[in-house]
Structures are given as structure tokens and as C-alpha cells.
Amino acid sequence: MPYEQPARAGTPAGRTAFLAAFESTYLPGHGRDVAEATGHALHWRGDIGAVLGAQVRRFRYPLRWHRIEPEPGRFDWSATDATLEYLKERGADPIVDLVHHTSYPEWLR
């Protein structure tokens, strides 16, 4: 028998709500950003649009801390703000994820 979860806003009772996520691990010590390696960092609007086109509205979406705070105390929220605003405008329900797997700035020891 398939799992049936309680109704959430926008999800009819008895229907399973799917959750989407994009891999975004940053590997400190290796300088490897998976969101950049996969092209998601450049094509996030299209990636998100494809998922929304499949009627999935819930996203686990990472905050890329190593890009937000590349140096201690120097913050750039522009990319994060743009993505979260886009999710909001499109009716998505994001679950924001700050420390995704090993994703923290290189400077953090």
C-alpha cells in the first residue's frame, strides 16, 4: 500500500507530495562545487522550471554558504536572493538547507 501523508496546502488529501532537490555539495580542500560542475549554478531557472512543470512544488534547496560568505564577514546574498525569489514567484515551497553535506566555506576550519 503506498504511503499517504496528511494533506498540506496545495496537496489534496491522500496524495503523496513529492520533494525535489538539487545536488550542491561543495568539497572543501578540493575546490569542487557540484552545482557548478553539473551546470545547475548557471541553469537553475531551467532546472527549477522543469521540476515545477512536473507539478512538484516542494524543494530542498541549498544555500551555498561558500558563495554567500567567501571570506569571513564578507557576504554576497545576490544569487541566493534571486533563487529564493524565483521559487516564491513560481509557487514553490522551499526547505532551505544551509549546511548541505560537506558544504561550508574553505576558510572555515
Side-chain angles (χ1 to χ4, degrees):
M1 176 199 278
Y3 170 74
E4 291 190 5
Q5 66 185 34
R8 284 187 44 91
T11 303
R15 297 219 20 218
T16 300
F18 289 94
L19 173 70
F22 295 100
E23 181 57 50
S24 64
T25 300
Y26 175 69
L27 304 172
H30 300 280
R32 190 72 165 159
D33 181 320
V34 176
E36 291 171 4
T38 62
H40 179 71
L42 293 175
H43 305 289
W44 57 269
R45 282 183 184 86
D47 294 346
I48 290 169
V51 173
L52 292 170
Q55 302 305 308
V56 176
R57 295 287 177 260
R58 298 197 73 203
F59 282 80
R60 178 192 47 79
Y61 207 86
L63 298 183
R64 296 168 60 220
W65 184 6
H66 66 289
R67 295 293 179 230
I68 294 168
E69 189 180 14
E71 298 171 10
R74 185 172 66 85
F75 298 92
D76 179 358
W77 289 94
S78 59
T80 300
D81 288 345
T83 304
L84 293 177
E85 184 63 28
Y86 185 79
L87 287 166
K88 180 181 174 183
E89 288 171 359
R90 298 291 308 268
D93 182 13
I95 300 166
V96 180
D97 185 0
L98 176 60
V99 185
H100 180 72
H101 301 300
T102 58
S103 299
Y104 52 86
E106 194 78 42
W107 55 261
L108 185 66
R109 299 279 177 233

